[in-house]
Amino acid sequence: MGRKRLQESADGRPTVHTVAARAGVSIASASRVLNGVGGSPETVRKVREAAAEVGYVPNAIARSLQSQRTELVALAVEDIGNPVYVEMMRAIESVVADSGRQLLVHATGGRIDNETALLRRLANRYVDGMIVSPIRVTADHLTALQDSPVPVVVVGQLAEDAPVDNVRTDSRRGIALAVDHLVATGRRRIGFVNGPLDTVPGAARDAGFRTALAAHGIVLDENLVEVGDFQYAAGRDATERLLARAEPDALVCANDLIAVGALHALLARGRQVPTDVALVGMDDTELARMMFPQLSSVSLGSAERGRRAAELLLQRIADPSLPPRRAQVAPSLAVRASSAPATHVPAPREEVTS
Amino acid sequence: MGRKRLQESADGRPTVHTVAARAGVSIASASRVLNGVGGSPETVRKVREAAAEVGYVPNAIARSLQSQRTELVALAVEDIGNPVYVEMMRAIESVVADSGRQLLVHATGGRIDNETALLRRLANRYVDGMIVSPIRVTADHLTALQDSPVPVVVVGQLAEDAPVDNVRTDSRRGIALAVDHLVATGRRRIGFVNGPLDTVPGAARDAGFRTALAAHGIVLDENLVEVGDFQYAAGRDATERLLARAEPDALVCANDLIAVGALHALLARGRQVPTDVALVGMDDTELARMMFPQLSSVSLGSAERGRRAAELLLQRIADPSLPPRRAQVAPSLAVRASSAPATHVPAPREEVTS
DNA sequence: TTGTATGCGTTATCAG
DNA sequence: CTGATAACGCATACAA
């Protein structure tokens, strides 16, 4: 038989053995007391005392190996810098922390291979579950989602029959809210600055825009539509291109970052907001409220979606046999200064150098 | 003797035993091949084949228990929504990912108890090290930092003799850069919107502002100084208070969030930027470039500091016996439209309703 | 090179 | 209630 087990861990820190020896009890008793199950008053006292004396802290790894759970949950989003994900993350973190778990954040950069790789790595069990908000979804991706070795919840649109927990919103309807509002306040030449059409949200918002305009009997002038990334710079550049060839009296933007870019482009070109051009963003992030004028924005309930996703995930972790579930959060419109009704007195324009 | 070890893990997933049995070798041989050390060509082939067939993925927990490392690194910041931390986080994530590790992000909310609790929890070894950027540092805190059971690197000011790895910048000098620039471009009634004075950066920036003004022989009018949180809303409100009682021709802000709030307040009050009031922020985040006009801002090299901190941490993880080290990143000023020299023709002011 | 046996630190089982 | 012992899944001395 090999040498007797030491009472200290490799790096000299106390283990259950240290505590047990010091308290004069078995490791089993020590462990029980430390976990608050069983133990005579006397044993409890001795073990607690010994633990405090040596500054015992349980090793999370060893505990995980035994319990098969890490108490860690991951979140994978495209762009950690986008305020919409910050809000979602905050909501998720709150729920996750309340359950005594910790949140691990991954930035995928929207690269899909990156994301499937992440999904596959889940197999090594370093987290108990994952929330992922993909902007592109391929068949490959979907497969990886379905037979993920650990619970996964998707925030975003997924095929109706996809057997994966998911939390969705209706961004088509969200765009319609924006268009309806603009039409109601007298705008007619409504432009649209969108993100990539090969993304799920990009495609949905494009469809939403076209449908909404048609519903009002407005014929879409393709010159009023531009596409870029879901980023500030792309939004600004796309708006510049649009303004170079068309004269919108309102602009709907596919997210707030784009809207801020659009605002920049409009102001740089000497357009007044909302007098000349009304502006509506999407996601209703704090960024929208930071602008001057404050930006109207369609809320897609990002915090709420985050919260729901976290709850779904925790439930599934608790009971993996649950059937796939689906939660839906309705969009709403926050009207602010950037889309106040146009005064019918066109203000004198003055070119401003950026 | 107990029942023979199973070939599958509790949840039915393959383990080294599964692979070994299928390949007809011992688990030792299987493990060796799987780790790329040793093994005859024939064994390697058999094991690789078996592993692929059963879809073997090593269990990260078990591996960690053995190796005493989790390949996880934590980052604790006050406010995940502040773009300066986003930039820092991106830089850290990049270095950390390159080393094959993953990043865990904690939001402390600036609550110091929260942070020390975090430090103490490190003892359970769920991460190999941590980068922390505290805005308040107490003696208690410092103690916790020093005898942390795992490597810790601090981003921020620390006492000279504190035996803790840390990456710092000189925000006093950073403020001086801003003041010098404003004075050089003809501003004299320079105001300052700061964060809480009981924070390390708040105190440093206050001192820097006063010193810089004095260096130019300017007597500070206390009406030109306001304090709030390091947040957008606080910056906006503080600026409103300041504007209600004083008439600055320039404003230095303790960070970009505050600067954006100040811009909002200025514009809402009908002030032209930079014509009436020049504006300089701090941290030089992407937010500064998103505004109209674009905000001048003092760069404190947040990405660079993040990178350096990550490198220091990885080095210390590799060799815990290293002496405490210190890295310094110099501030610099990015001049943009918000602080262009004032035209000496005061533009007509017009009250704008927010 | 290969296999046996042991330990990583914890919790769970089961007999006493 | 308590203690001895077996897992958890992996890596690695050591012996063959």
Side-chain angles (χ1 to χ4, degrees), chain B residues 212-219:
Chain B
L213 273 198
H216 286 286
I218 299 180
V219 198

Side-chain angles (χ1 to χ4, degrees), chain A residues 11 60 102 104 121 124-125, chain B residues 11 60 102 104 121 124-125:
Chain A
D11 54 349
Q102 293 187 328
L104 194 58
R121 277 216 314 225
N124 72 7
R125 301 312 186 102
Chain B
D11 55 348
Q102 293 189 330
L104 195 58
R121 275 215 316 221
N124 72 8
R125 302 311 186 102

Side-chain angles (χ1 to χ4, degrees), chain A residues 9-11 13 57-62 64-66 68-70 72-73 79-82 86 89-90 93 100 102-107 118 120-121 123-126 149 231-232 236 256-257 260-261 263-264 267-269 286-287 289-294 337 352-354, chain B residues 9-11 13 57-62 64-66 68-70 72-73 79-82 86 89-90 93 100 102-107 118 120-121 123-126 149 231-232 236 256-257 260-261 263-264 267-269 286-287 289-294 337 352-354:
Chain A
S9 72
D11 54 349
R13 307 206 36 266
V57 178
N59 181 313
I61 304 299
S64 288
L65 183 59
Q66 168 68 28
Q68 305 282 9
R69 291 179 298 107
T70 63
L72 243 42
V73 160
D79 172 21
I80 182 74
N82 187 333
V86 171
M89 190 181 327
R90 282 199 179 115
E93 212 273 331
Q102 293 187 328
L103 187 65
L104 194 58
V105 181
H106 291 285
L118 204 55
R120 258 187 285 277
R121 277 216 314 225
N124 72 7
R125 301 312 186 102
Y126 70 109
Q231 307 278 345
Y232 163 80
R236 187 197 54 212
D256 281 351
L257 284 175
V260 170
L263 177 63
H264 197 124
L267 296 178
R269 212 182 171 88
E286 52 183 348
L287 201 51
R289 294 180 289 274
M290 289 165 68
M291 295 299 112
F292 187 86
Q294 291 196 324
V352 174
T353 54
S354 168
Chain B
S9 71
D11 55 348
R13 299 185 15 82
V57 178
N59 181 313
I61 304 300
S64 288
L65 183 58
Q66 166 71 25
Q68 305 280 12
R69 292 181 295 107
T70 63
L72 243 44
V73 160
D79 172 22
I80 183 74
N82 187 331
V86 171
M89 189 181 328
R90 283 199 181 116
E93 212 271 331
Q102 293 189 330
L103 188 66
L104 195 58
V105 181
H106 292 286
L118 203 56
R120 259 186 282 278
R121 275 215 316 221
N124 72 8
R125 302 311 186 102
Y126 70 107
Q231 306 278 345
Y232 163 81
R236 187 197 55 212
D256 281 351
L257 285 175
V260 170
L263 177 63
H264 197 123
L267 296 178
R269 212 182 171 85
E286 53 184 348
L287 201 52
R289 294 180 289 275
M290 289 165 68
M291 294 300 111
F292 188 85
Q294 290 197 323
V352 174
T353 54
S354 168

